[in-house]
Amino acid sequence: MNVLTFFEASPDEADAPTVDDLQAVTEDVWLALVGEDEVLVPRMVPPGTPFDATGVWSSSVTVSGGWAGVVTVELDEGVAQQLSARMLALPEGEPVADGDIADAVGELVNMVGGNVKSLMPGPSVLSLPAVAAGRAAFASDVAEVCRLDLAWRGAPVRICIHVPA
């Protein structure tokens, strides 16, 4: 049974990636970055629930062209630090500079967004990642069409796709 949060797409959003697409892309990217020994675990989160980490790093990329959408990654601060240390081969447990976290979180969304772009009609282009220390905010003219709520080492990770409303 799939326990991931899923929002049914309206007919206008039928060309959006499915939660299964997003899950497969995210698992492939995570495996490439972290390795097989630590997987993302699905979390049951009710629809409409804000991301529940206390400290958050977020990043997003925009796909435009044959398909338009925004891919967003939100990570608990501890996840962002540990993931950054792992990606940059820094000693685990040592402080990670904000610039290193921004690079790692930006690369994560770039890889997930690039794979989402490849699933959709083209030609399309992927923007540079926008990274922030804080929760992602979304414009009122977009609608969430797909969301994964996951955990890594017990801390929350959220991946979302929004499309123009």
Side-chain angles (χ1 to χ4, degrees):
M1 177 179 165
N2 187 348
V3 294
L4 302 174
T5 305
F6 175 67
F7 298 96
E8 283 296 328
S10 70
D12 293 340
E13 299 162 344
D15 290 333
T18 66
V19 73
D20 291 334
D21 292 335
L22 186 58
Q23 182 178 8
V25 162
T26 301
E27 287 174 353
D28 287 347
V29 169
W30 201 264
L31 179 68
L33 295 175
V34 177
E36 295 179 357
D37 54 335
E38 296 190 58
V39 297
L40 291 165
V41 178
R43 292 187 324 133
M44 182 64 99
V45 177
T49 303
F51 189 59
D52 57 344
T54 51
V56 178
W57 279 84
S58 61
S59 57
S60 64
V61 289
T62 301
V63 179
S64 55
W67 180 79
V70 178
V71 178
T72 306
V73 172
E74 292 178 289
L75 304 171
D76 174 87
E77 186 168 12
V79 171
Q81 290 178 357
Q82 294 172 49
L83 177 66
S84 300
R86 191 114 179 207
M87 288 173 64
L88 301 171
L90 301 172
E92 195 156 328
E94 301 253 338
V96 181
D98 284 354
D100 289 337
I101 295 173
D103 287 347
V105 175
E107 182 58 22
L108 174 62
V109 78
N110 193 50
M111 292 175 73
V112 173
N115 281 286
V116 167
K117 176 182 142 293
S118 72
L119 296 172
M120 304 312 297
S124 299
V125 294
L126 189 69
S127 72
L128 292 173
V131 180
R135 287 190 53 223
F138 303 99
S140 60
D141 62 347
V142 297
E144 185 177 270
V145 293
C146 190
R147 185 176 88 196
L148 296 176
D149 280 296
L150 307 161
W152 187 58
R153 296 182 175 177
V157 172
R158 177 174 283 175
I159 316 287
C160 293
I161 297 175
H162 287 76
V163 297

